[in-house]
Coordinates of all heavy atoms in Angstrom, one line a residue:
M1 N 2.6 5.2 14.8 CA 2.8 6.5 14.1 C 4.3 6.5 13.6 O 5.1 5.9 14.2 CB 2.7 7.6 15.1 CG 1.4 8.5 14.8 SD 1.4 9.9 16.0 CE 2.3 11.1 15.0
G2 N 4.5 7.1 12.5 CA 5.8 7.3 11.9 C 6.0 6.5 10.7 O 5.0 6.0 10.1
P3 N 7.3 6.3 10.3 CA 7.5 5.6 9.0 C 7.3 4.1 9.1 O 7.5 3.6 10.2 CB 9.0 5.9 8.7 CG 9.6 6.4 10.0 CD 8.5 6.9 10.9
A4 N 6.8 3.5 8.1 CA 6.5 2.1 8.0 C 6.9 1.5 6.7 O 7.0 2.3 5.7 CB 5.0 1.9 8.3
T5 N 7.2 0.3 6.7 CA 7.5 -0.4 5.5 C 6.3 -1.4 5.2 O 5.9 -2.2 6.1 CB 8.8 -1.3 5.6 OG1 9.9 -0.4 5.9 CG2 9.1 -2.0 4.3
I6 N 5.8 -1.3 4.0 CA 4.6 -2.1 3.6 C 5.1 -3.1 2.6 O 5.8 -2.8 1.6 CB 3.5 -1.3 2.9 CG1 3.2 0.0 3.7 CG2 2.3 -2.1 2.7 CD1 2.5 -0.1 5.0
I7 N 4.9 -4.4 2.9 CA 5.3 -5.4 2.0 C 4.1 -6.1 1.4 O 3.2 -6.6 2.2 CB 6.2 -6.5 2.7 CG1 7.5 -5.7 3.1 CG2 6.5 -7.7 1.8 CD1 8.4 -6.5 4.1
L8 N 4.0 -6.2 0.1 CA 2.9 -6.8 -0.6 C 3.3 -8.0 -1.4 O 4.4 -7.9 -2.0 CB 2.2 -5.8 -1.5 CG 1.8 -4.5 -0.9 CD1 1.6 -3.4 -1.9 CD2 0.5 -4.7 -0.1
K9 N 2.6 -9.1 -1.4 CA 2.9 -10.2 -2.3 C 1.7 -10.3 -3.3 O 0.6 -10.4 -2.9 CB 3.0 -11.5 -1.5 CG 4.3 -11.5 -0.7 CD 4.6 -12.8 0.0 CE 6.0 -12.8 0.6 NZ 6.2 -13.9 1.5
L10 N 2.1 -10.3 -4.5 CA 1.1 -10.3 -5.6 C 1.2 -11.7 -6.3 O 2.3 -12.1 -6.8 CB 1.4 -9.2 -6.6 CG 0.3 -8.7 -7.5 CD1 -0.9 -8.2 -6.7 CD2 0.9 -7.6 -8.3
T11 N 0.1 -12.4 -6.3 CA 0.1 -13.7 -7.0 C -1.2 -13.8 -7.9 O -2.1 -13.1 -7.7 CB 0.0 -14.9 -6.0 OG1 -1.1 -14.8 -5.1 CG2 1.3 -14.9 -5.1
D12 N -1.1 -14.7 -8.8 CA -2.3 -14.9 -9.7 C -3.1 -16.0 -9.0 O -2.9 -16.4 -7.9 CB -1.9 -15.3 -11.1 CG -1.1 -16.6 -11.2 OD1 -1.2 -17.4 -10.2 OD2 -0.5 -16.9 -12.2
A13 N -4.2 -16.4 -9.7 CA -5.2 -17.3 -9.1 C -4.6 -18.6 -8.7 O -5.0 -19.3 -7.8 CB -6.4 -17.5 -10.0
S14 N -3.5 -19.0 -9.4 CA -2.9 -20.3 -9.1 C -1.7 -20.2 -8.1 O -1.0 -21.1 -7.8 CB -2.3 -20.9 -10.4 OG -1.3 -20.1 -10.9
G15 N -1.5 -19.0 -7.6 CA -0.5 -18.8 -6.5 C 0.9 -18.4 -7.1 O 1.8 -18.3 -6.3
K16 N 0.9 -18.2 -8.4 CA 2.2 -17.9 -9.0 C 2.5 -16.4 -8.8 O 1.6 -15.5 -9.0 CB 2.2 -18.2 -10.5 CG 3.4 -18.8 -11.1 CD 3.2 -19.2 -12.5 CE 3.7 -18.2 -13.5 NZ 3.2 -17.9 -14.7
P17 N 3.8 -16.0 -8.5 CA 4.1 -14.6 -8.3 C 3.8 -13.8 -9.6 O 4.1 -14.2 -10.7 CB 5.6 -14.6 -7.9 CG 5.9 -15.9 -7.6 CD 4.9 -16.9 -8.2
V18 N 3.3 -12.6 -9.4 CA 3.1 -11.7 -10.6 C 4.2 -10.6 -10.5 O 4.3 -9.9 -9.6 CB 1.7 -11.0 -10.5 CG1 1.6 -10.0 -11.6 CG2 0.6 -12.0 -10.6
T19 N 5.0 -10.7 -11.5 CA 6.2 -9.7 -11.6 C 5.9 -8.6 -12.6 O 5.0 -8.7 -13.4 CB 7.4 -10.5 -12.1 OG1 7.2 -10.9 -13.4 CG2 7.8 -11.7 -11.2
G20 N 6.6 -7.5 -12.4 CA 6.5 -6.4 -13.3 C 5.2 -5.5 -13.1 O 4.9 -4.8 -14.0
A21 N 4.5 -5.6 -12.0 CA 3.4 -4.8 -11.8 C 3.8 -3.4 -11.2 O 4.9 -3.3 -10.7 CB 2.4 -5.5 -10.8
L22 N 3.0 -2.4 -11.4 CA 3.2 -1.1 -10.8 C 2.2 -1.0 -9.7 O 1.0 -1.2 -10.0 CB 3.0 0.0 -11.8 CG 4.0 0.0 -13.0 CD1 3.6 1.1 -14.0 CD2 5.4 0.2 -12.5
I23 N 2.6 -0.6 -8.5 CA 1.7 -0.5 -7.4 C 1.9 0.9 -6.8 O 2.9 1.2 -6.3 CB 1.9 -1.6 -6.3 CG1 1.8 -3.0 -6.9 CG2 0.9 -1.4 -5.2 CD1 2.1 -4.1 -5.9
A24 N 0.8 1.7 -6.9 CA 0.8 3.0 -6.3 C -0.1 3.0 -5.1 O -1.1 2.3 -5.1 CB 0.3 4.1 -7.3
M25 N 0.3 3.6 -4.0 CA -0.4 3.6 -2.8 C -0.8 5.0 -2.4 O -0.1 6.0 -2.6 CB 0.5 3.1 -1.6 CG 0.9 1.7 -1.7 SD 1.7 1.3 -0.2 CE 2.2 -0.4 -0.6
E26 N -2.0 5.0 -1.8 CA -2.5 6.2 -1.2 C -3.0 5.9 0.2 O -3.9 5.0 0.3 CB -3.6 6.8 -2.1 CG -4.3 8.0 -1.5 CD -5.5 8.5 -2.4 OE1 -5.6 8.1 -3.6 OE2 -6.3 9.2 -1.8
A27 N -2.5 6.5 1.2 CA -3.0 6.3 2.6 C -3.8 7.5 3.1 O -3.4 8.6 2.9 CB -1.8 6.1 3.5
D28 N -5.0 7.1 3.6 CA -5.9 8.2 4.0 C -6.4 7.9 5.4 O -6.5 6.7 5.9 CB -7.2 8.2 3.1 CG -6.8 8.6 1.7 OD1 -6.5 9.7 1.5 OD2 -6.9 7.7 0.8
M29 N -6.8 9.0 6.1 CA -7.6 8.8 7.3 C -9.0 9.3 7.0 O -9.3 9.9 6.0 CB -7.1 9.7 8.4 CG -5.7 9.2 8.9 SD -5.1 10.1 10.3 CE -5.9 9.2 11.6
S30 N -10.0 8.9 7.8 CA -11.4 9.1 7.5 C -11.9 10.5 7.9 O -13.0 10.8 7.5 CB -12.3 8.0 8.1 OG -12.1 8.0 9.5
H31 N -11.2 11.2 8.6 CA -11.7 12.5 9.0 C -11.3 13.6 8.0 O -10.4 13.5 7.2 CB -11.2 12.9 10.5 CG -9.8 13.1 10.6 ND1 -9.2 14.3 10.4 CD2 -8.7 12.2 10.8 CE1 -7.9 14.2 10.5 NE2 -7.6 12.9 10.8
A32 N -12.0 14.8 8.1 CA -11.8 15.9 7.2 C -10.5 16.6 7.5 O -10.0 16.5 8.6 CB -12.9 16.8 7.3
G33 N -9.9 17.2 6.5 CA -8.8 18.1 6.7 C -7.4 17.4 6.8 O -6.5 18.0 7.2
M34 N -7.4 16.2 6.3 CA -6.2 15.4 6.4 C -5.7 15.1 5.0 O -6.5 14.5 4.2 CB -6.5 14.1 7.2 CG -5.3 13.2 7.4 SD -4.5 13.5 8.9 CE -3.1 12.5 8.7
S35 N -4.5 15.4 4.6 CA -4.0 15.2 3.3 C -3.6 13.7 3.1 O -3.1 13.1 4.0 CB -2.8 16.0 3.0 OG -3.1 17.4 3.1
P36 N -3.9 13.1 2.0 CA -3.5 11.7 1.7 C -1.9 11.7 1.6 O -1.3 12.6 1.3 CB -4.1 11.3 0.4 CG -4.6 12.6 -0.2 CD -4.7 13.6 0.8
V37 N -1.4 10.5 1.9 CA 0.0 10.2 1.8 C 0.2 9.3 0.6 O -0.5 8.2 0.6 CB 0.6 9.6 3.1 CG1 2.0 9.3 3.0 CG2 0.3 10.5 4.3
F38 N 1.1 9.6 -0.3 CA 1.3 8.8 -1.5 C 2.6 8.1 -1.5 O 3.6 8.6 -0.9 CB 1.2 9.7 -2.8 CG -0.1 10.3 -3.0 CD1 -0.4 11.7 -2.6 CD2 -1.1 9.6 -3.5 CE1 -1.6 12.2 -2.8 CE2 -2.4 10.2 -3.7 CZ -2.6 11.5 -3.4
S39 N 2.7 6.9 -2.1 CA 3.9 6.2 -2.1 C 3.8 5.2 -3.3 O 2.7 5.0 -3.8 CB 4.1 5.4 -0.8 OG 5.4 4.8 -0.9
E40 N 5.0 4.7 -3.7 CA 5.0 3.7 -4.8 C 5.8 2.5 -4.3 O 6.8 2.7 -3.6 CB 5.6 4.3 -6.1 CG 4.8 5.3 -6.7 CD 4.8 5.3 -8.2 OE1 5.7 4.7 -8.8 OE2 4.0 6.0 -8.8
A41 N 5.4 1.4 -4.7 CA 6.1 0.1 -4.3 C 7.1 -0.3 -5.3 O 6.9 -0.1 -6.5 CB 5.1 -1.0 -4.0
N42 N 8.2 -0.7 -4.8 CA 9.3 -1.3 -5.7 C 9.3 -2.8 -5.6 O 9.1 -3.3 -4.4 CB 10.7 -0.8 -5.4 CG 10.8 0.7 -5.7 OD1 10.4 1.1 -6.8 ND2 11.2 1.5 -4.7
E43 N 9.5 -3.5 -6.7 CA 9.6 -5.0 -6.6 C 10.9 -5.4 -6.1 O 12.0 -5.1 -6.7 CB 9.3 -5.6 -8.0 CG 9.1 -7.1 -8.0 CD 8.6 -7.6 -9.3 OE1 8.5 -6.8 -10.3 OE2 8.2 -8.8 -9.3
S44 N 11.0 -6.0 -4.9 CA 12.3 -6.4 -4.3 C 12.7 -7.8 -4.7 O 13.9 -8.1 -4.7 CB 12.2 -6.2 -2.8 OG 11.1 -7.0 -2.3
E45 N 11.7 -8.7 -5.0 CA 12.0 -10.0 -5.5 C 10.7 -10.4 -6.3 O 9.7 -9.7 -6.1 CB 12.4 -11.0 -4.5 CG 11.4 -11.2 -3.3 CD 11.9 -12.1 -2.2 OE1 12.7 -11.7 -1.4 OE2 11.4 -13.2 -2.2
P46 N 10.7 -11.4 -7.1 CA 9.6 -11.7 -8.0 C 8.3 -11.8 -7.2 O 8.1 -12.6 -6.3 CB 9.9 -13.0 -8.6 CG 11.4 -13.0 -8.7 CD 11.8 -12.3 -7.4
G47 N 7.3 -10.9 -7.5 CA 6.0 -10.9 -6.9 C 6.0 -10.3 -5.5 O 4.9 -10.2 -4.9
R48 N 7.1 -9.7 -5.0 CA 7.1 -9.1 -3.7 C 7.4 -7.6 -3.9 O 8.5 -7.3 -4.4 CB 8.2 -9.8 -2.9 CG 8.3 -9.4 -1.4 CD 9.5 -10.1 -0.8 NE 9.6 -10.0 0.7 CZ 10.2 -9.0 1.3 NH1 10.9 -8.1 0.5 NH2 10.3 -8.9 2.6
Y49 N 6.6 -6.8 -3.4 CA 6.6 -5.4 -3.6 C 6.7 -4.7 -2.2 O 6.1 -5.1 -1.3 CB 5.4 -4.9 -4.3 CG 5.3 -5.5 -5.7 CD1 4.7 -6.8 -5.9 CD2 5.8 -4.9 -6.8 CE1 4.7 -7.3 -7.1 CE2 5.7 -5.4 -8.1 CZ 5.2 -6.7 -8.2 OH 5.1 -7.3 -9.5
Q50 N 7.5 -3.7 -2.2 CA 7.8 -3.0 -0.9 C 7.7 -1.5 -1.0 O 8.2 -0.9 -2.0 CB 9.3 -3.4 -0.5 CG 9.6 -3.1 0.9 CD 10.9 -3.8 1.3 OE1 11.1 -5.0 0.9 NE2 11.8 -3.1 1.9
A51 N 7.1 -0.9 -0.1 CA 6.9 0.6 -0.1 C 7.2 1.2 1.3 O 6.9 0.5 2.3 CB 5.5 1.0 -0.6
R52 N 7.6 2.4 1.3 CA 7.8 3.1 2.5 C 6.6 4.1 2.6 O 6.3 4.7 1.6 CB 9.1 3.9 2.6 CG 10.3 3.1 2.3 CD 10.9 2.5 3.5 NE 11.3 3.4 4.5 CZ 11.4 3.1 5.8 NH1 11.2 1.9 6.2 NH2 11.8 4.1 6.7
L53 N 6.1 4.3 3.8 CA 5.1 5.2 3.9 C 5.0 5.7 5.4 O 5.3 5.0 6.3 CB 3.8 4.6 3.3 CG 2.5 4.3 3.8 CD1 1.7 5.4 4.2 CD2 1.8 3.6 2.6
E54 N 4.6 6.9 5.5 CA 4.6 7.5 6.9 C 3.2 7.8 7.4 O 2.4 8.5 6.8 CB 5.4 8.8 6.9 CG 5.4 9.5 8.2 CD 6.7 10.2 8.6 OE1 7.6 10.3 7.7 OE2 6.8 10.6 9.7
F55 N 2.9 7.1 8.5 CA 1.6 7.4 9.2 C 1.8 8.6 10.1 O 2.5 8.6 11.1 CB 1.2 6.2 10.0 CG 0.8 5.0 9.2 CD1 1.7 3.9 9.2 CD2 -0.3 4.9 8.5 CE1 1.4 2.8 8.4 CE2 -0.6 3.8 7.7 CZ 0.3 2.7 7.7
Q56 N 1.2 9.7 9.7 CA 1.5 11.0 10.3 C 0.7 11.3 11.5 O 0.9 12.3 12.2 CB 1.3 12.2 9.3 CG 2.3 12.0 8.1 CD 1.8 12.9 6.9 OE1 0.7 13.2 6.8 NE2 2.8 13.2 6.0
M57 N -0.3 10.5 11.8 CA -1.2 10.7 12.9 C -1.7 9.4 13.4 O -1.8 8.4 12.7 CB -2.4 11.5 12.4 CG -3.3 12.2 13.5 SD -4.7 12.9 12.8 CE -4.1 14.5 12.2
A58 N -1.9 9.3 14.7 CA -2.5 8.1 15.3 C -4.0 8.0 14.9 O -4.6 9.0 14.6 CB -2.4 8.2 16.8
G59 N -4.5 6.8 14.8 CA -5.9 6.6 14.5 C -6.0 5.6 13.4 O -5.2 4.7 13.2
D60 N -7.2 5.6 12.7 CA -7.5 4.6 11.7 C -7.2 5.1 10.3 O -7.6 6.1 9.9 CB -9.0 4.3 11.8 CG -9.4 3.7 13.1 OD1 -8.6 3.1 13.8 OD2 -10.6 3.9 13.5
W61 N -6.4 4.3 9.7 CA -6.0 4.6 8.3 C -6.5 3.5 7.3 O -6.8 2.4 7.7 CB -4.4 4.5 8.2 CG -3.7 5.7 8.9 CD1 -3.5 5.9 10.2 CD2 -3.2 6.8 8.2 NE1 -2.9 7.1 10.4 CE2 -2.7 7.7 9.2 CE3 -3.1 7.2 6.9 CZ2 -2.0 8.9 8.9 CZ3 -2.5 8.4 6.6 CH2 -2.0 9.3 7.6
V62 N -6.6 3.9 6.1 CA -6.9 3.0 5.0 C -5.9 3.2 3.9 O -5.6 4.3 3.5 CB -8.3 3.3 4.4 CG1 -8.6 2.4 3.2 CG2 -9.4 3.1 5.5
I63 N -5.3 2.1 3.4 CA -4.4 2.2 2.3 C -5.1 1.7 1.0 O -5.6 0.6 1.0 CB -3.1 1.4 2.5 CG1 -2.4 1.8 3.8 CG2 -2.2 1.5 1.3 CD1 -1.2 1.0 4.2
L64 N -5.1 2.6 0.0 CA -5.7 2.2 -1.3 C -4.5 1.8 -2.2 O -3.5 2.5 -2.3 CB -6.4 3.4 -1.9 CG -7.5 4.0 -1.0 CD1 -8.1 5.3 -1.7 CD2 -8.6 3.0 -0.8
L65 N -4.7 0.7 -2.8 CA -3.6 0.2 -3.7 C -4.2 0.3 -5.1 O -5.3 -0.2 -5.4 CB -3.3 -1.3 -3.5 CG -2.9 -1.7 -2.0 CD1 -2.7 -3.2 -1.9 CD2 -1.6 -1.0 -1.7
H66 N -3.4 1.0 -6.0 CA -3.8 1.1 -7.4 C -2.7 0.2 -8.1 O -1.6 0.6 -8.3 CB -3.8 2.5 -7.9 CG -4.6 3.4 -7.0 ND1 -6.0 3.3 -7.0 CD2 -4.3 4.4 -6.2 CE1 -6.5 4.2 -6.2 NE2 -5.5 4.9 -5.7
V67 N -3.2 -0.9 -8.6 CA -2.2 -1.9 -9.2 C -2.4 -1.9 -10.7 O -3.6 -2.0 -11.2 CB -2.5 -3.3 -8.6 CG1 -1.5 -4.3 -9.2 CG2 -2.4 -3.3 -7.1
T68 N -1.3 -1.8 -11.4 CA -1.3 -1.9 -12.9 C -0.6 -3.2 -13.2 O 0.7 -3.3 -12.9 CB -0.7 -0.7 -13.6 OG1 -1.4 0.5 -13.2 CG2 -0.9 -0.9 -15.1
L69 N -1.2 -4.2 -13.8 CA -0.6 -5.5 -14.1 C 0.2 -5.3 -15.3 O 0.0 -4.4 -16.1 CB -1.7 -6.6 -14.2 CG -2.5 -6.8 -12.9 CD1 -3.6 -7.8 -13.2 CD2 -1.6 -7.3 -11.8
P70 N 1.2 -6.3 -15.6 CA 2.0 -6.2 -16.8 C 1.3 -6.0 -18.1 O 1.7 -5.3 -19.0 CB 2.8 -7.5 -16.7 CG 2.9 -7.9 -15.3 CD 1.6 -7.4 -14.7
G71 N 0.1 -6.7 -18.2 CA -0.7 -6.6 -19.4 C -1.5 -5.3 -19.5 O -2.2 -5.1 -20.5
G72 N -1.4 -4.4 -18.5 CA -2.1 -3.1 -18.5 C -3.4 -3.1 -17.8 O -4.0 -2.1 -17.6
K73 N -3.9 -4.3 -17.3 CA -5.1 -4.4 -16.6 C -4.9 -3.7 -15.2 O -3.8 -3.8 -14.6 CB -5.5 -5.8 -16.4 CG -6.9 -6.0 -15.8 CD -7.2 -7.5 -15.6 CE -8.5 -7.6 -14.8 NZ -8.6 -8.9 -14.2
K74 N -5.9 -2.9 -14.8 CA -5.8 -2.3 -13.5 C -6.7 -2.8 -12.5 O -7.8 -3.3 -12.8 CB -6.1 -0.8 -13.7 CG -5.1 0.0 -14.5 CD -5.5 1.4 -14.7 CE -4.7 2.1 -15.8 NZ -3.5 2.7 -15.3
L75 N -6.3 -2.9 -11.2 CA -7.2 -3.3 -10.2 C -6.9 -2.5 -8.9 O -5.8 -2.0 -8.7 CB -7.1 -4.8 -9.9 CG -5.8 -5.5 -9.7 CD1 -5.6 -5.7 -8.2 CD2 -5.8 -6.8 -10.4
D76 N -7.9 -2.3 -8.1 CA -7.7 -1.6 -6.8 C -8.0 -2.5 -5.7 O -8.9 -3.3 -5.7 CB -8.7 -0.4 -6.8 CG -8.4 0.7 -7.8 OD1 -7.2 0.8 -8.2 OD2 -9.3 1.3 -8.3
R77 N -7.2 -2.3 -4.6 CA -7.5 -3.0 -3.4 C -7.4 -2.0 -2.2 O -6.8 -1.0 -2.4 CB -6.4 -4.1 -3.2 CG -6.6 -5.3 -4.1 CD -7.9 -6.1 -3.8 NE -8.0 -7.3 -4.7 CZ -8.5 -7.3 -5.9 NH1 -8.9 -6.2 -6.4 NH2 -8.6 -8.4 -6.6
Q78 N -7.9 -2.5 -1.1 CA -8.0 -1.6 0.0 C -7.5 -2.4 1.3 O -7.9 -3.5 1.4 CB -9.4 -1.1 0.2 CG -9.6 -0.1 1.2 CD -11.0 0.5 1.2 OE1 -11.5 0.8 0.1 NE2 -11.6 0.6 2.3
I79 N -6.6 -1.8 2.0 CA -6.2 -2.4 3.3 C -6.5 -1.5 4.4 O -6.1 -0.3 4.5 CB -4.6 -2.6 3.2 CG1 -4.2 -3.5 2.0 CG2 -4.2 -3.3 4.5 CD1 -2.7 -3.5 1.8
E80 N -7.2 -2.0 5.4 CA -7.6 -1.3 6.6 C -6.4 -1.4 7.6 O -5.8 -2.4 7.8 CB -8.8 -1.9 7.3 CG -10.0 -2.2 6.4 CD -10.9 -1.0 6.2 OE1 -10.8 -0.1 7.0 OE2 -11.6 -0.9 5.2
V81 N -6.0 -0.2 8.1 CA -5.0 -0.2 9.1 C -5.5 0.5 10.4 O -5.3 1.7 10.5 CB -3.7 0.5 8.6 CG1 -2.6 0.4 9.7 CG2 -3.2 -0.1 7.3
P82 N -6.3 -0.2 11.2 CA -7.0 0.5 12.3 C -6.0 0.7 13.5 O -5.1 -0.1 13.6 CB -8.1 -0.5 12.6 CG -7.6 -1.8 12.2 CD -6.7 -1.6 11.0
G83 N -6.3 1.7 14.2 CA -5.6 1.8 15.5 C -4.1 2.1 15.5 O -3.4 1.5 16.3
V84 N -3.7 2.9 14.5 CA -2.3 3.3 14.6 C -2.1 4.1 15.9 O -2.8 5.0 16.2 CB -1.9 4.2 13.3 CG1 -0.5 4.8 13.5 CG2 -2.0 3.4 12.1
R85 N -1.1 3.7 16.6 CA -0.9 4.2 18.0 C 0.0 5.4 18.0 O 1.0 5.5 17.2 CB -0.3 3.2 18.9 CG -1.4 2.2 19.3 CD -0.8 1.1 20.2 NE 0.1 0.3 19.5 CZ 0.7 -0.8 20.0 NH1 0.5 -1.2 21.2 NH2 1.5 -1.5 19.3
P86 N -0.2 6.4 18.9 CA 0.7 7.5 19.0 C 2.1 7.0 19.5 O 2.2 5.9 20.1 CB 0.1 8.4 20.1 CG -0.9 7.6 20.8 CD -1.3 6.4 19.9
I87 N 3.1 7.8 19.2 CA 4.5 7.4 19.5 C 4.7 7.4 21.0 O 4.2 8.4 21.7 CB 5.5 8.4 18.9 CG1 5.5 8.2 17.3 CG2 7.0 8.1 19.3 CD1 6.3 9.2 16.6
Ligands
CU1 CU1 -5.6 12.4 10.7

């Protein structure tokens, strides 16, 4: 529980870093009555994106990534973060 730093590496099919993408994040829990947590990632070095986000409750989280590539193509990915522990 608490603040976390999420680091993402974005590469193309050949393993080359993808620079200049926009990555928006939405973190959710699966139960009702919980507001999503939003964040945006900044590119800290080519193809490496970093975001701060706060897990406000212990339990199972899912992070949705909304990625906009430099050419405008969009893709979504999902990262499971199970078992966030209480402080
Ligand atoms: Cu919750």
